[in-house]
């Protein structure tokens, strides 16, 4: 599950206990539906993330992975590949291509408060340490373009990479709010 600020997590729990649905919580707290669902229903069922839940469903249906399941669905719908299916979905949403759709999603992610906060935190800490994104990418064991997308806010790191970033930048035992003050 993506780490949300403790205040947001507590608000989600409070709203869920009051009987709000994940969709209502998502709108009220300004998070995605899948995030609200993961912090409510799936958390109650013991899943750590929405993807973990989807993976579990795929395996229960006899597939080795979620990707294999999605590829099978695309083929059953008459597409030659999952990529072709995703391209078709993007066009149906009014985009010229899957690339254009993905770029639009990235621009929207950059505007999220969470992405802006993480971006500012990474930039600030790298500057304090006199390091650059190349140094961080080496420490994470990922390519520099991925770190660049984290720093620009175009994507957010997985939980495992976020934990590594916290460790590499020596941010242990601090909240994002504490670090940005």
């Amino acid at each position: 599950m993506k780490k949300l600020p403790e205040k947001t997590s507590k608000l989600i729990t409070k709203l869920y206990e009051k009987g709000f649905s994940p969709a209502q919580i998502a709108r009220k707290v300004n998070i995605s539906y899948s995030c609200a669902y993961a912090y409510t229903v799936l958390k109650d069922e013991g899943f750590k993330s929405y993807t973990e839940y989807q993976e579990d469903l795929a395996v229960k249906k006899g597939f080795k992975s979620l990707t294999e399941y999605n590829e099978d669905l695309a083929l059953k719908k008459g597409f030659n590949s999952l990529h072709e299916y995703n391209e078709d979905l993007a066009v149906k949403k009014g985009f010229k291509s899957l690339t254009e759709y993905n770029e639009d999603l990235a621009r929207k992610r950059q505007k999220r408060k969470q992405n802006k906060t993480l971006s500012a935190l990474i930039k600030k800490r790298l500057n304090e340490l006199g390091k650059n994104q190349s140094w961080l990418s080496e420490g994470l064991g990922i390519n520099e373009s991925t770190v660049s997308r984290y720093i620009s806010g175009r994507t957010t790191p997985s939980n495992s990479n976020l934990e590594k970033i916290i460790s590499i930048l020596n941010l242990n035992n601090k909240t994002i709010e504490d670090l940005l003050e």
Side-chain angles (χ1 to χ4, degrees), residues 23-156:
Q24 292 170 317
I25 293 169
R27 286 189 297 275
K28 191 164 186 71
V29 182
N30 195 27
I31 57 174
S32 69
Y33 173 81
S34 61
C35 186
Y37 192 81
Y39 267 84
T40 56
V41 177
L42 297 182
K43 190 175 180 185
D44 282 350
E45 294 178 11
F47 293 100
K48 293 179 184 169
S49 69
Y50 188 70
T51 302
E52 184 180 300
Y53 166 71
Q54 290 177 313
E55 286 278 353
D56 183 66
L57 287 179
V59 169
K60 284 179 180 173
K61 291 180 181 185
F63 295 92
K64 293 178 189 170
S65 68
L66 179 58
T67 300
E68 183 181 285
Y69 172 69
N70 286 334
E71 287 170 349
D72 184 67
L73 284 178
L75 293 174
K76 285 179 179 173
K77 291 182 180 190
F79 295 93
N80 294 319
S81 67
L82 181 57
H83 180 79
E84 185 180 294
Y85 173 65
N86 287 334
E87 187 81 36
D88 184 68
L89 287 176
V91 170
K92 284 180 179 173
K93 289 181 179 184
F95 296 91
K96 293 178 186 169
S97 67
L98 182 57
T99 301
E100 183 181 290
Y101 172 67
N102 287 333
E103 288 171 354
D104 183 65
L105 288 177
R107 280 190 297 277
K108 288 176 181 173
R109 282 190 298 269
Q110 281 180 303
K111 294 177 183 177
R112 287 185 194 157
K113 182 179 179 183
Q114 177 183 349
N115 291 41
K116 287 180 179 180
T117 302
L118 182 60
S119 173
L121 173 62
I122 293 171
K123 287 177 194 174
K124 178 181 181 209
R125 192 63 182 140
L126 285 174
N127 187 44
E128 289 171 352
L129 295 171
K131 303 292 184 180
N132 58 29
Q133 68 187 40
S134 177
W135 172 83
L136 183 56
S137 70
E138 286 176 27
L140 291 169
I142 60 177
N143 66 46
E144 200 171 325
S145 64
T146 302
V147 172
S148 176
R149 288 192 300 274
Y150 297 162
I151 291 172
S152 70
R154 292 178 70 81
T155 61
T156 52

